[in-house]
Amino acid sequence: MRDLNVRYLERLSDLYPTIAEASTEVINLEAILNLPKGTEHFLTDIHGEYEAFSHVMKNGSGSVRRKVNDIFGNTLCMEDKQELATLIYYPREKMNQILGKVSDREDWYRITMYRLVEVCKQSASKYTRSKVRKALPSEFAYVIEELITEKVNVPDKESYYNAIIQTIIRVGRVEECIIALCRLIQRLVVDHLHILGDIYDRGPGPHLIMDELMVHHSVDIQWGNHDILWMGAAAGQRGCIANVIRICARYGNLDILEDGYGINLLPLATFAVNTYREDPCTCFKLRGGGIYNAKEMEADLKMHKAISIIQFKVEGQIIKAHPEMGLEDRNLLHRIDYEKGTIFLDGKEYTLLDTNFPTIDPADPYTLTAEEADIMERLERAFLNCERLQRHMRFLLSRGSLYKVYNGNLLYHGCVPLNEDGTLKTVTVCGGRYQGKQLYEVLDGYIRKGFVAVDPAERENGRDLMWYIWLHRDSPLFGKDKMATFERYFLAEKETHQEKKNPYYRFLEDEEVVNRILEKFGLSPETGHIINGHVPVKSKNGENPVKCGGKVLVIDGGFSKAYQKETGIAGYTLIYNSYGLILAAHDPFESTEAAIEKGSDIHSETIVVKRVEKRKLVGDTDVGMILKENIADLEKLLEAYRTGALAERIRKK
């Protein structure tokens, strides 16, 4: 067998068959290494809030506004800079508003074009010309490239640019060109997007968020527990399906399933209305902001109760099938005294708030009725055969993982399970014992098996483990001792609602523990950071998202409207550019209309977490490491050409 290095160089020579071509590529790659690193944008716990998500994506968590401020400084008043920023976020809508007020449209077009071209130039300056060229909108690619490229040999540059802009105005394409420039700026200000979990649940638009992510130029996703829940449902796991429907009902978002994904809920609705006809279902009031008339509200409450009871039954079956999960304490239906309307928990008797259980057989409480079983069979088929849902889940699988190490940062959604003393907790999964990074990796593998394993038993195991990850005390995505769903519905006593957090959250200020986690994932404690979400930061109570001297950044501040009363804000996002880490706190997003009409911006406050002494370059990043390896390989190829080990080849014309 021939030497592997020789075979590799031969394959490389297919791409670069001459000394000239190999040398040119080395020069190009060296040039890229010395460009400033691209801006990374971190979002987490979006929870279906599409409008707020879309706005943060458009403004790059303040990156656009910072760029406008840097470029125009004191040469533009604050009002003009805000108007320009809003135009970049919502070009068509804002332009329509402005053009209804200006007296000289042509003058506004000209001034605006010059300003946008300047922002575009600055935004493009950290990229190679070829990368910018790939980002250009095809319709205006040549024109925009001419406008943003410095013309060294043109004697009268102002006249040259004026002539181009005047021609665009004269032929009636200026408005479309302005829109193209604004979208290009949005594209260039953020080089890479990280979503740290929980795209789904609570808010009304997760399917719209997924559509937008699927066309994003560069994104990775660290799955959250709510994402895993939907992945499990899409894989046909019945516990996950029931939870997904229950949460949609709880937050008034059944439209996501019916209209967004085309899943037929009529059998469930018919069953619920007939079964709970005289039941007010007062324990199942909505938490979301769905708009309903009285009949729709009544139907939703009954569906909410019906799917909740089905969920408790289905979960009981899963727990019995998997005693190794150790969740028997979460099987509660057999602990109810159905005659007295009470339940025994932890040696104490509690009175139930709702005692109407027409579908539960006290002697066999976890068995579905014939009608419930038929509903679950239909729902399972609907989830498995929903093309849009399956497309979204395939995207989550291809771009997602349970954790990611990227440019010296450790990204995950929830927590690394710890013992009470701060050491890594050893967790049993399918007979194996794992902790830290190993635990993440084995669970990641089982999630993928739930979709693609050939062995039916392995596939079933993977599906059930997605449900396990959703609610288990040892799950790195849940991080609490129990999910008190039953107690929150049926018991008034707040003590029963408590969900104790994993010790991880107590140790976020402990440098020894944080350093240990970073080291276990292969990161330097001196330079690495942990970035995660999952647990909302209660800013109004003085809680700080920056922990352990900046080594840990918890950036869930409450995108979800349901949590904004607790947090006092509408989420944290993070920017990592060539100058350092910048944390952005956001005010609640009023509406897209308000952003356009009033120029109001969701972005409210920034905190510089870390500023580097020397501006970071591409050569300092993970991409830079790969480029350096490519350069080393190309230099070996050049050596092979020059020593005669390989012969140059002339490309066929």
Side-chain angles (χ1 to χ4, degrees), residues 56 95 97 115 195 228 238 299 335 371 378 413 416 453 460 470 515 523 537 542 544 572 589 610-611 650:
V56 169
M95 186 161 38
Q97 182 203 52
R115 288 174 179 173
I195 304 291
I228 291 293
R238 291 190 173 190
R335 302 173 193 271
E371 200 168 355
R378 292 186 185 206
H413 176 70
V416 175
E460 191 68 26
W470 157 243
N515 287 349
L523 286 150
V537 178
N544 193 335
Y572 288 101
F589 184 61
K610 182 178 181 181
R611 183 174 289 278
I650 299 172

Side-chain angles (χ1 to χ4, degrees), residues 417 425-429 432-435 439 443 468 472 474-475:
K425 184 173 185 179
T426 299
V427 176
T428 301
V429 178
R433 291 171 62 75
Y434 310 95
Q435 59 176 219
L439 176 62
L443 290 175
Y468 165 102
H472 199 276
D474 292 333
S475 164

Side-chain angles (χ1 to χ4, degrees), residues 384-604:
L384 284 169
N385 295 318
C386 175
E387 196 278 332
R388 188 183 189 187
L389 178 63
Q390 295 299 326
R391 190 169 66 247
H392 286 169
M393 295 306 109
R394 286 195 299 272
F395 178 77
L396 283 179
L397 282 170
S398 66
R399 296 294 183 90
S401 56
L402 279 180
Y403 81 95
K404 191 172 188 68
V405 173
Y406 195 96
N407 287 342
N409 296 316
L410 173 58
L411 319 180
Y412 50 74
H413 176 70
C415 68
V416 175
L418 300 179
N419 296 310
E420 290 295 331
D421 62 357
T423 57
L424 294 174
K425 184 173 185 179
T426 299
V427 176
T428 301
V429 178
C430 297
R433 291 171 62 75
Y434 310 95
Q435 59 176 219
K437 182 182 176 183
Q438 280 186 318
L439 176 62
Y440 271 85
E441 289 175 346
V442 75
L443 290 175
D444 189 294
Y446 273 108
I447 290 164
R448 298 182 193 281
K449 287 178 184 178
F451 286 92
V452 301
V454 176
D455 181 353
E458 279 283 271
R459 196 162 183 157
E460 191 68 26
N461 224 15
R463 290 173 175 176
D464 288 346
L465 275 168
M466 285 186 252
W467 175 81
Y468 165 102
I469 292 167
W470 157 243
L471 50 58
H472 199 276
R473 65 182 69 88
D474 292 333
S475 164
L477 297 191
F478 181 52
K480 297 177 184 177
D481 67 335
K482 67 179 180 181
M483 187 172 283
T485 306
F486 180 94
E487 293 90 333
R488 289 175 185 273
Y489 281 127
F490 291 106
L491 300 178
E493 291 80 3
K494 297 291 184 184
E495 69 200 55
T496 65
H497 302 181
Q498 295 303 310
E499 299 172 341
K500 183 183 174 185
K501 294 179 187 176
N502 184 272
Y504 169 87
Y505 296 99
R506 292 204 320 269
F507 286 99
L508 288 178
E509 296 285 4
D510 188 312
E511 191 167 5
E512 183 181 342
V513 172
V514 170
N515 287 349
R516 187 184 304 128
I517 292 172
L518 286 167
E519 287 172 345
K520 291 293 183 182
F521 282 86
L523 286 150
S524 164
E526 284 70 40
T527 59
H529 304 87
I530 294 172
I531 303 171
N532 73 289
H534 187 53
V535 176
V537 178
K538 296 178 181 178
S539 180
K540 70 175 188 178
N541 296 342
E543 208 173 319
N544 193 335
V546 182
K547 302 183 184 297
C548 198
K551 288 189 176 187
V552 180
L553 303 167
V554 182
I555 61 171
D556 176 11
F559 250 102
S560 173
K561 289 179 181 177
Y563 278 98
Q564 286 170 11
K565 287 181 181 178
E566 294 181 33
T567 62
I569 60 169
Y572 288 101
T573 56
L574 186 70
I575 289 292
Y576 181 24
N577 60 25
S578 57
Y579 295 106
L581 288 159
I582 302 167
L583 192 70
H586 302 282
D587 288 329
F589 184 61
E590 187 176 346
S591 68
T592 299
E593 291 75 19
I596 295 162
E597 291 293 324
K598 304 182 222 173
S600 59
D601 203 337
I602 192 173
H603 175 258
S604 61

Side-chain angles (χ1 to χ4, degrees), residues 247-266:
I247 293 170
C248 283
R250 183 173 176 78
Y251 288 90
N253 289 324
L254 289 171
D255 286 351
I256 295 170
L257 294 167
E258 294 182 297
D259 300 335
Y261 287 116
I263 290 172
N264 182 14
L265 296 179
L266 184 58

